[in-house]
Amino acid sequence: MKAIVYRTYGSPDVLEFTTLAEPTPKPDEVLIRVVASSINQGDWHLLHGEPLLVRPSAGLWRPKHPILGADVAGVVVAVGRAVTRFEPGDAVFGDLSASGRGGFAEYVAAPEDALALKPAAVPFADAAATPTAGVTALQGLRTHGRLAPGQQVLVNGASGGVGTFAVQIAATLGATVTAVCSTRNVAQARRLGADTVIDYTQEDFTQGGQRYDLIFDTVGNRSVAEYRQVLAPQGRFVTTTFLPALALRGPWLARRGGPSMQNMMAKPDRDDLAFLAGLLEERRLTPVIDRCYPLDETADALRYVGAGHARGKVIVVPEGADGSAPTAAHAIAEPGDRP
Ligand SMILES: NC(=O)c1ccc[n+]([C@@H]2O[C@H](COP(=O)([O-])OP(=O)(O)OC[C@H]3O[C@@H](n4cnc5c(N)ncnc54)[C@H](OP(=O)(O)O)[C@@H]3O)[C@@H](O)[C@H]2O)c1
């Protein structure tokens, strides 16, 4: 199979487009023919091996897993003997960050627990765009942010991968949404469901009179004190970035009965993924796709995302991937049968 491989940490220049043997699924895994994958900032960090705290799990001196790409959508072509939820021909999607990634390839083996069925009406590219960014937004708003209908939420970074999901999900959860983005993305934020849009090139959201029940932050560009001054007295602040000041100060603020402020780490979750699949199917959630790259141009796709101004998600598609039924050669059930 064709795959994008890295053997050493570095810039996108270290990526090679090469041919490898197809993976063999373990008993609890399925083999997926990848129809689309999407890029996350996490791929950029693992490519560079930075920050250094990723290295204990990613490989101290060189990458443990040679193929990046956590988010995939595709068609099951073989199943391990312990797999109960899927069979060849099923269209699935999921986040493989807990099992070594591998999505920037024509085939990937994935634990069945990481996957959900892709609703037939949802395009593969939309499904591939959703797992990491969508689940992060959902957990940030609902689990950590405890967002309730009628509350005021501000989404900082409303035009990025996570932010475009957050604006839509917050609106779906019944909140009144203020989105912060740059001028070129203002109209898009309104279309996604924001009630108010703040163009950060014109206005500083930390200086306004509005107080928010929840600030969901994906940028981390302000100080804890600045975020706090626009939080309601019992409000919550959740950031997907890491603010070192919060690691100590967050629990201290909570003990004093003030607002809750926390760094969050999303966890792949099958139920959250299935919830998002429902929203996608009902068209209450539509991923924003900025660009689509062929697999052999994954390095360019990563450069684009790494620059930090993608508008929604960036998709990678293997050549000839079209989402049709698996070929006869792949319609086999036992991992030992794989070439
Ligand atoms: N903790 C977790 O579990 C978790 C999970 C997923 C992601 N993350 C992290 O969350 C962050 C966001 O991820 P992402 O996938 O959304 O990134 P992304 O797609 O690269 O988002 C970049 C967006 O940030 C916007 N932006 C840049 N400067 C801004 C500013 N000053 N104010 C408001 N918006 C600004 C850009 O919009 P403009 O072009 O309009 O400036 C762009 O659309 C990253 O740090 C990522 O590593 C964490």
Side-chain angles (χ1 to χ4, degrees):
M1 68 169 184
K2 295 290 185 199
I4 295 288
V5 166
Y6 78 135
R7 307 276 180 200
T8 178
Y9 292 120
S11 75
D13 296 345
V14 305
L15 294 169
E16 278 173 63
F17 181 57
T18 189
T19 304
L20 298 177
E22 287 169 23
T24 301
K26 295 180 189 144
D28 65 336
E29 289 183 339
V30 304
L31 182 66
I32 299 169
R33 179 167 59 80
V34 178
V35 179
S37 57
S38 80
I39 295 186
N40 290 287
Q41 289 291 344
D43 294 309
W44 180 256
H45 294 308
L46 290 177
L47 172 63
H48 288 81
E50 290 169 359
L52 289 178
L53 56 84
V54 304
R55 300 252 185 144
S57 56
L60 272 187
W61 311 112
R62 64 185 66 81
K64 232 191 286 185
H65 303 289
I67 307 178
L68 293 166
D71 286 351
V72 296
V75 178
V76 173
V77 293
V79 299
R81 63 177 176 277
V83 167
T84 56
R85 294 172 50 232
F86 301 110
E87 54 187 44
D90 284 345
V92 294
F93 71 122
D95 168 2
L96 313 187
S97 58
S99 59
R101 301 183 180 235
F104 300 154
E106 289 179 314
Y107 293 89
V108 63
E112 67 167 336
D113 279 353
L115 302 170
L117 280 173
K118 181 190 79 63
V122 175
F124 281 91
D126 285 9
T130 300
T132 297
V135 167
T136 301
L138 180 64
Q139 293 180 358
L141 296 166
R142 199 174 65 168
T143 313
H144 301 284
R146 300 185 198 166
L147 188 62
Q151 287 192 324
Q152 293 281 345
V153 58
L154 177 133
V155 178
N156 187 33
S159 50
V162 177
T164 47
F165 279 99
V167 170
Q168 296 181 74
I169 293 170
T172 297
L173 294 175
T176 302
V177 184
T178 299
V180 181
C181 59
S182 65
T183 314
R184 72 187 183 110
N185 292 316
V186 167
Q188 171 184 273
R190 284 220 175 82
R191 275 199 305 276
L192 294 178
D195 301 278
T196 306
V197 183
I198 296 176
D199 174 352
Y200 69 75
T201 69
Q202 305 294 320
E203 197 181 333
D204 179 350
F205 74 87
T206 67
Q207 300 303 315
Q210 178 70 47
R211 297 288 176 272
Y212 300 95
D213 300 300
L214 173 63
I215 297 176
F216 180 64
D217 171 67
T218 73
V219 188
N221 58 333
R222 310 310 296 259
S223 70
V224 169
E226 286 171 321
Y227 286 120
R228 194 183 169 189
Q229 71 194 13
V230 283
L231 263 189
Q234 297 303 313
R236 306 183 84 84
F237 169 84
V238 177
T239 182
T240 62
T241 68
F242 181 76
L243 297 180
L246 267 190
L248 291 172
R249 210 167 151 198
W252 178 78
L253 281 170
R255 267 204 308 279
R256 293 191 52 191
S260 147
M261 301 186 76
Q262 67 171 115
N263 298 311
M264 73 163 275
M265 188 54 73
K267 293 198 184 85
D269 184 294
R270 209 167 89 185
D271 294 337
D272 286 346
L273 200 57
F275 177 80
L276 293 176
L279 293 184
L280 292 169
E281 188 172 25
E282 293 162 14
R283 302 188 66 80
R284 292 162 71 199
L285 179 63
T286 304
V288 174
I289 293 179
D290 182 344
R291 294 182 179 189
C292 208
Y293 287 82
L295 181 63
D296 60 345
E297 292 176 21
T298 301
D300 287 338
L302 273 155
R303 281 185 196 98
Y304 181 64
V305 171
H309 291 282
R311 182 187 258 175
K313 297 289 299 177
V314 171
I315 302 295
V316 172
V317 181
E319 194 185 343
D322 61 359
S324 57
T327 61
H330 283 112
I332 54 175
E334 283 298 316
D337 293 338
R338 301 296 321 136

